[in-house]
């Protein structure tokens, strides 16, 4: 009877000790909240509950030594099972620490980007870390208890291979999205061209990237395709865009007068419209003496990559008006005519 009292006293002491530790860690958590660093918060959060559980488990095993246990259940109080419990408690500490570390610093990093992809990657990393840590802990415990773990490892390898083959495209697209996030060839809102498709980036997800075309249609492209394609970004290194406008005039025109008129049109457009930059300054080049025309090229800088059509429309209207006033002829394009014989 006295042994049972001792066992009950040990368990009671364990409960009291666990309560005291819980109060101490609550105070430490409050103190940690007052500091700028979040590492101490993670450390205290990781150790607190597992340590309390460890105290209770240790007091239980210690108390069981004073209680008569049937022979068939004597293995419960063997030291190796107590050590196995400690391994699980250690895995619990590591899991809480890793999960909170990934969540805290991952959210800090993802807050610097507009994409939702990094938030999804952080969630996946948390789940993956949890299962990997516990799987390793289980293998360590089974090995410690001298249980053959080779079939379990083999089964895990076969299962992992089957999942990898079944989800090959999903994994490829996921890591393609991760590469986009790390390499940053574009961000949401940029105008890009991929394999002839031109549009503005709407979102970057774990599997695909969505682009709104100039016709306001939503285009979904797998991330793996983007990771292996040449991407033209019209918003980098800045949002301005060089616009080239070809102009042809008939032979017999005064080439210097034509160039001066084109420059006047560009400078007037830069001063009076919201589309064109004054620096770099517009320029006009006489590029070629063609078969039936003198061929010029206007080079003008748009303030944004999405203003090229407005600029071309305005400039072409002004060219037609000024050339009509000055009597400068715009030749008709030549047509190839194939005669049957």
């Amino acid at each position: 009877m006295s042994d049972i009292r001792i066992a009950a006293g040990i368990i009671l002491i364990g409960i009291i000790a666990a309560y005291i530790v819980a109060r101490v860690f609550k105070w430490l958590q409050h103190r940690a909240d007052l500091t700028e660093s979040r590492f101490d918060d993670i450390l205290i959060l990781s150790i607190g509950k597992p340590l309390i559980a460890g105290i209770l488990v240790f007091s239980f095993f210690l108390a069981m030594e004073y209680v008569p246990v049937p022979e068939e259940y004597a293995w419960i109080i063997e030291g190796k099972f107590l050590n196995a419990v400690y391994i699980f408690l250690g895995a619990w500490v590591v899991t809480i620490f890793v999960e909170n570390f990934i969540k805290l610093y991952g959210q800090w990093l993802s807050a610097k980007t507009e994409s939702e992809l990094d938030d999804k990657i952080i969630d996946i990393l948390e789940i993956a870390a949890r299962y990997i840590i516990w799987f390793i802990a289980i293998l360590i415990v089974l090995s410690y208890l001298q249980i053959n773990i080779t079939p379990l490892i083999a089964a895990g390898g076969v299962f992992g291979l089957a999942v990898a083959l079944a989800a090959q495209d999903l994994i490829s697209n996921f890591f393609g999205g991760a590469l986009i996030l790390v390499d940053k060839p574009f961000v949401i809102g940029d105008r890009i061209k991929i394999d002839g498709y031109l549009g503005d980036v709407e979102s970057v997800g774990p599997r695909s990237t969505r682009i709104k075309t100039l016709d306001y249609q939503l285009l979904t492209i797998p991330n793996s395709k983007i990771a292996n394609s040449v991407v033209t970004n019209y918003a980098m290194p800045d949002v301005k865009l060089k616009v080239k406008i070809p102009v042809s005039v008939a032979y017999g025109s005064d080439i210097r007068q034509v160039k001066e008129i084109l420059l006047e049109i560009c400078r007037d457009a830069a001063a009076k419209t919201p589309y064109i930059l004054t620096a770099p300054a517009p320029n006009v080049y006489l590029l070629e003496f063609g078969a039936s025309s003198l061929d010029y090229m206007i080079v003008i800088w748009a303030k944004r990559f999405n203003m090229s059509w407005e600029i071309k429309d305005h400039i072409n209207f002004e060219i037609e008006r000024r050339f009509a006033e000055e009597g400068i002829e715009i030749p008709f394009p030549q047509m190839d005519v194939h005669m049957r014989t």
Side-chain angles (χ1 to χ4, degrees), residues 41-312:
D41 298 77
I42 297 175
L43 194 60
I44 293 171
L45 186 64
S46 303
I47 298 175
K49 290 182 179 179
L51 181 58
I52 294 169
I55 292 173
L56 294 174
V57 169
F58 178 75
S59 63
F60 170 78
F61 270 87
L62 190 60
M64 291 300 292
E65 293 182 3
Y66 295 91
V67 177
V69 179
E71 185 176 349
E72 59 269 24
Y73 299 109
W75 58 269
I76 296 176
I77 59 175
E78 291 183 10
K80 62 181 180 180
F81 289 101
L82 179 60
N83 293 334
V85 172
Y86 287 153
I87 293 173
F88 282 126
L89 290 174
W92 189 7
V93 171
V94 174
T95 301
I96 296 174
F97 180 84
V98 171
E99 284 185 349
N100 283 279
F101 185 86
I102 293 174
K103 181 182 295 183
L104 180 64
Y105 288 95
Q107 289 176 352
W108 175 69
L109 290 173
S110 63
K112 297 183 177 181
T113 65
E114 298 180 1
S115 173
E116 296 180 357
L117 176 61
D118 44 5
D119 300 278
K120 294 182 175 67
I121 291 176
I122 291 167
D123 294 337
I124 294 173
L125 287 176
E126 286 184 46
I127 297 171
R130 182 190 311 147
Y131 283 106
I132 290 172
I133 292 170
W134 279 107
F135 181 72
I136 293 173
I138 291 171
L139 291 181
I140 293 174
V141 169
L142 293 177
S143 177
Y144 179 76
L145 297 177
Q146 298 180 346
I147 298 174
N148 186 15
I149 61 174
T150 303
L152 183 62
I153 296 175
V158 172
F159 177 75
L161 180 61
V163 171
L165 292 175
Q168 185 175 2
D169 289 340
L170 180 62
I171 294 172
S172 176
N173 288 321
F174 174 78
F175 282 104
L179 288 175
I180 292 172
L181 180 65
V182 173
D183 193 46
K184 287 185 171 58
F186 51 79
V187 296
I188 294 174
D190 286 358
R191 175 161 295 180
I192 63 174
K193 180 186 284 186
I194 302 175
D195 288 345
Y197 299 108
L198 179 65
D200 300 329
V201 179
E202 288 287 302
S203 65
V204 180
R207 193 195 72 83
S208 62
T209 296
R210 289 176 172 82
I211 299 173
K212 184 171 69 176
T213 68
L214 302 186
D215 298 325
Y216 284 84
Q217 295 177 331
L218 195 63
L219 189 66
T220 302
I221 304 177
N223 288 330
S224 58
K225 183 177 181 64
I226 295 176
N228 295 299
S229 300
V230 176
V231 179
T232 303
N233 191 331
Y234 293 94
M236 291 186 181
D238 52 50
V239 296
K240 69 175 182 290
L241 177 69
K242 180 188 284 187
V243 179
K244 299 178 180 179
I245 305 175
V247 180
S248 297
V249 299
Y251 275 103
S253 303
D254 186 330
I255 58 175
R256 291 176 176 79
Q257 180 192 19
V258 171
K259 182 171 182 176
E260 187 60 34
I261 291 173
L262 293 176
L263 282 172
E264 288 177 6
I265 292 172
C266 293
R267 291 165 184 161
D268 186 68
K272 296 181 180 180
T273 68
Y275 312 125
I276 302 169
L277 291 171
T278 55
N283 215 332
V284 177
Y285 301 92
L286 176 59
L287 294 184
E288 188 177 5
F289 294 92
S292 60
S293 62
L294 301 169
D295 298 328
Y296 292 80
M297 181 66 71
I298 296 175
V299 177
I300 199 166
W301 288 89
K303 290 183 178 179
R304 285 187 58 83
F305 53 79
N306 57 354
M307 295 179 173
S308 61
W309 286 8
E310 289 85 351
I311 290 173
K312 290 179 180 180

